[in-house]
Amino acid sequence: MSDARNEGYDDFLDAIEAGEPYYLEGPEGDGSLPPKRIDPATGSQELTEAPLPETGEIETYTQTHVAAPDFADDAPFVVAVVDFGPVSVTGQIRGMEPGDVEAGQEVTIGVDRTETTDERLVIFEPA
C-alpha cells in the first residue's frame, strides 16, 4: 500500500467514503471528475463541486480474467463504466456475480480496496 497521496483523486475517494460523492461542474454545466483543474469545454479554471447522483446506470462493462500485476489477485473481476448523468465513472463491480452484470442496471458508488495491493478504488454495488 502506498503512503503517497494523489490530491484530487484521493479527495474524491474520501468524499465517496463520507457519503458525499461529487463531480466538478464547469461554467456551462458540463461535468468532469477530479483531479481535473480546467474545464475541457471552456478552458476555465472556475470549477465547482456538485453532488453526484445517488445511483447511476451501467453503460458498458467487461470481465477481466488476466489482470495487470496491480490487480492480479483480484481477478476475475468486472470493470464497468457507469453513467451518473453529468459524468461517467469507471470502477469495479462488487456484490454481484460477473454473469449477472448487465448494461442498464442501477448501481451505487463506493470505495473498497484491491486484494493485490490494498489500494483504494472506486466500486459499484447493486442499487
Side-chain angles (χ1 to χ4, degrees):
M1 180 167 93
S2 171
D3 291 333
R5 184 159 175 86
N6 182 343
E7 198 163 335
Y9 180 69
D10 282 326
D11 293 338
F12 178 62
L13 295 179
D14 291 345
I16 294 169
E17 286 183 317
E20 300 175 352
Y22 65 91
Y23 68 97
L24 300 173
E25 186 174 68
E28 294 184 1
D30 54 311
S32 57
L33 294 172
K36 187 79 67 180
R37 293 194 172 111
I38 297 174
D39 179 28
T42 65
S44 173
Q45 294 181 4
E46 300 299 318
L47 300 174
T48 57
E49 291 182 9
L52 196 69
E54 289 184 25
T55 62
E57 185 175 293
I58 296 174
E59 293 180 312
T60 189
Y61 63 93
T62 188
Q63 186 172 3
T64 301
H65 294 277
V66 179
D70 283 351
F71 295 94
D73 295 340
D74 295 76
F77 57 88
V78 176
V79 173
V81 177
V82 176
D83 178 4
F84 281 92
V87 294
S88 292
V89 183
T90 303
Q92 279 190 19
I93 298 286
R94 300 279 174 96
M96 69 174 79
E97 292 298 317
D100 294 338
V101 177
E102 294 180 8
Q105 287 178 309
E106 280 197 32
V107 293
T108 59
I109 194 168
V111 174
D112 203 349
R113 295 194 171 268
T114 69
E115 292 182 33
T116 309
T117 64
D118 200 41
E119 293 290 326
R120 294 189 307 168
L121 75 157
V122 173
I123 63 151
F124 305 114
E125 297 181 297

